[in-house]
Amino acid sequence: MDSRVEIDEDTENDKGSMWVLDQKLDQPMDEEAGRLKNMYREKKFSALLLLRLAFQSLGVVYGDLGTSPLYVFYNTFPTGKVDDPEDVVGALSLIIYSLTLIPLLKYVFVVCRANDNGQGGTFALYSLLCRHAKINTIPNQHRTDEELTTYVRSTFHERSFAAKTKRWLERYALRKNALLILVLVGTCMVIGDGILTPAISVLSAVGGIQVEHPHMSNEVVVIIAVIILVGLFSMQHYGTDRVGWLFAPIVLLWFLLIGGIGIYNIWKYESSVLKAFSPVHIFRYFKRRGKDGWTSLGGILLSITGTEALFADLSHFPVSAIQLAFTVVVFPCLLLAYAGQAAFIMNNQTNVADAFYRSIPGTAVVIVMLVTTLLMVLIMLLVWRCHWILVLIFTSLSLLVECTYLFAVLFKVDQGGWVPLVIAAAFLLVMYVWHYGTVKRYEFEMHSKVSMAWVLGLGPSLGLVRVPGIGLVYTELASGVPHIFSHFITNLPAIHSVVIFVCVKYLPVYTVPEDERFLVKRIGPKNFHMFRCVARYGYKDLHKKDDDFEKKLFDSLFLFVRLESMMEGCSDSDEYSLYGQLTQQSRDGLLDNNGNSCSSNMDPTMSSVDSIVPVKSPLNVNNTVSSSGQGSAQTEIDELEFLNCCRDAGVVHILGNTVVRARRDSKFYRKIAIDYIYAFLRKICRENSVIFNVPHECLLNVGQVFFV
């Protein structure tokens, strides 16, 4: 089956009497959402456990930073020799203060605190912002999402500077899109840098063999590096714990050795190199070298490559472990290593180029740092509610260092710095086209959804033959009846006895606990046997294949039917209280080992608050309990038996096979983006039927074509 729908982006819904009725019939899911506001707190670790985690983090987080001394000075003095020993002191001073300001102060002690329930990275910052301001470009947020355990956010006064910033961001869609593009740019730059950095580090390390064996060809060095890289990446599937234990001793030994060698070089060659701790030598360095000093910052920048990993790898290790490992081991050993190299070079001014490989200028790195700085400004204002003066100080210091490096590396873009930029641009194009197509699909669902009043006007049979079984209709909408359903019933003369609209929704949280995954509500009167189920996932849950999705959905449905009976006749506040006090143990108690609802002596008196049957006043509830309780309990048991019989008869998953096409009058770049790039991405992307392990014999695709 195939239908063609064309969307006019400027079309507005006419909110007449039918719309008002529709809103009354299909209310939000407030009553089904649990009152769980357990704020996240970082776990308290014992001293021994913290030391173990800090030790493991050495083998996972600090590989890039630890290998930077292999190629920093060579890229700072690319001619292979130093004309003035004071230039080495100036370069060392730049390295010292770069390591102090960016990795130590900015990332370890500031940015790492801006984690999303222990998750780090650019998307974690964006997730925090999406929870504190309505900046999500897909407008599917609902207040029930805020009741998740992992949905942590702070509140602020409406007249505060944070509130003004929030309103400024939410006012125009252009600002939301600009922020999204900024986040995508930062993410793509991390990918572009991550593709090249392992190769650069390993090649530079293996290139050290040529110091003792100068006749070894570069081809042999490349082959050895490839073998090492293949071996390293083949170990990734063993997980962070095993990889950490394997490489942590090696990395720790590496840091201790380069630190010890640095002390030896300082003592043997030139102890006066320690005067580089004075920032005065930075100004003298630029004064002496002029433009060469400015362009040499591309080499200095390599000393802080891998800094973003401190924040991105927070999902593997707690903040305190990252901070302990960096401040106690990594930072002092790096300072000693660079100081020792500088002391050696001051006495051997022609031996700068010991490594054969001139690494690509690591350009994407500084852009990622700039993106993090800009996002941190919003985090400090909206999440931490810092005073604007503190925000200004943090921003000024960060931009002063990072913009200086950015302008310096621009001079080396034509020397290889374009490679990570091109890679990042390709990923950015893919991500933005995917997002654009997803937004248009959602707009299609919103504009073409069917009125609930129309559906209910068809009667309990929906004007069709209700055959035994359960139909799961998948949709992007968390409210309303999707167009796919009307398209289905207008082309087929029958529909299942029970219809459940399933909305798979992704929230700006890192994960959704299993016991808070599903929200269930009833649509219309009970004799319609129609329900809605919202399955909520976080960004860390996306890659998981949920083998028990169908079972969990029906468990939640049976639980809802039982709770609906328990909460009938209660006021809104009573219902919130009852649901909020429901623990996991009491939830399990309502279900037997087969996932079926157990009987209870608690009083059920009325239909669901979401159904169109009005809720009686609390003053009259006590008078109706004795007369209606027994009959309502029997009705509940009958409905559960009916649902079980329908489930035994068969479950069919109805998915929309939507084909998106650009309109004929669209510009050529939109046609390329939609008809080719987005279509290709949809083709290779896993569908919900694969993610939720839907058997092919239980799958029904409904074809649709719409134009954007």
Side-chain angles (χ1 to χ4, degrees), residues 38-345:
N38 300 326
M39 304 294 284
Y40 169 83
R41 295 290 184 269
E42 186 180 356
K43 295 180 180 179
K44 301 299 182 183
F45 298 96
S46 64
L48 185 61
L49 179 58
L50 184 61
L51 288 174
R52 194 193 78 175
L53 292 172
F55 173 72
Q56 280 186 281
S57 70
L58 292 173
V60 177
V61 179
Y62 300 106
D64 293 341
L65 276 171
T67 55
S68 294
L70 293 170
Y71 42 75
V72 169
F73 276 110
Y74 175 76
N75 283 271
T76 305
F77 302 100
T79 60
K81 63 179 181 178
V82 177
D83 298 326
D84 189 345
E86 289 298 317
D87 291 344
V88 180
V89 178
L92 177 61
S93 186
L94 280 168
I95 294 172
I96 290 173
Y97 283 98
S98 296
L99 285 171
T100 302
L101 292 175
I102 301 300
L104 181 65
L105 296 181
K106 178 185 174 181
Y107 276 88
V108 173
F109 290 110
V110 179
V111 176
C112 283
R113 291 185 58 244
N115 59 82
D116 179 19
N117 289 8
Q119 307 298 309
T122 307
F123 272 125
L125 295 179
Y126 185 65
S127 173
L128 279 175
L129 293 175
C130 286
R131 298 206 297 267
H132 288 79
K134 296 178 181 178
I135 57 176
N136 199 331
T137 53
I138 300 180
N140 62 350
Q141 305 95 334
H142 192 268
R143 56 182 173 270
T144 55
D145 301 332
E146 301 174 9
E147 299 167 6
L148 285 171
T149 307
T150 52
Y151 201 100
V152 181
R153 70 170 186 172
S154 56
T155 57
F156 37 79
H157 195 274
E158 285 298 320
R159 295 184 179 181
S160 63
F161 190 75
K164 295 178 182 178
T165 305
K166 176 177 178 292
R167 289 191 292 268
W168 182 84
L169 278 175
E170 298 173 346
R171 189 168 299 157
Y172 299 108
L174 179 63
R175 295 170 184 172
K176 300 178 184 179
N177 289 326
L179 183 61
L180 174 66
I181 292 175
L182 182 69
V183 171
L184 293 180
V185 167
T187 304
C188 294
M189 290 297 173
V190 171
I191 296 174
D193 176 66
I195 291 175
L196 298 175
T197 300
I200 293 174
S201 300
V202 174
L203 275 171
S204 298
V206 177
I209 300 175
Q210 289 182 314
V211 176
E212 293 295 328
H213 303 279
H215 299 295
M216 179 181 289
S217 64
N218 291 346
E219 289 75 13
V220 175
V221 173
V222 171
I223 293 175
I224 295 175
V226 169
I227 294 174
I228 293 176
L229 285 170
V230 171
L232 290 174
F233 282 103
S234 65
M235 298 179 184
Q236 296 294 317
H237 71 280
Y238 289 109
T240 304
D241 185 64
R242 293 185 180 180
V243 172
W245 280 117
L246 177 62
F247 288 99
I250 301 173
V251 177
L252 177 60
L253 181 62
W254 167 262
F255 278 115
L256 294 178
L257 285 175
I258 63 174
I261 293 172
I263 295 175
Y264 172 79
N265 286 334
I266 294 172
W267 170 78
K268 181 178 180 180
Y269 293 106
E270 192 63 65
S271 61
S272 64
V273 77
L274 297 178
K275 63 184 179 182
F277 282 90
S278 172
V280 175
H281 294 278
I282 295 178
F283 298 99
R284 295 177 180 173
Y285 176 80
F286 287 116
K287 185 178 180 180
R288 282 190 305 272
R289 299 199 68 189
K291 184 180 178 180
D292 290 338
W294 185 262
T295 56
S296 68
L297 288 177
I300 303 293
L301 176 64
L302 296 175
S303 65
I304 55 176
T305 54
T307 299
E308 192 69 21
L310 297 176
F311 185 45
D313 288 336
L314 282 183
S315 58
H316 303 296
F317 303 99
V319 175
S320 53
I322 298 289
Q323 292 173 335
L324 180 63
F326 187 83
T327 54
V328 175
V329 178
V330 179
F331 183 67
C333 289
L334 286 177
L335 291 184
L336 291 171
Y338 285 117
Q341 285 189 53
F344 174 82
I345 294 172

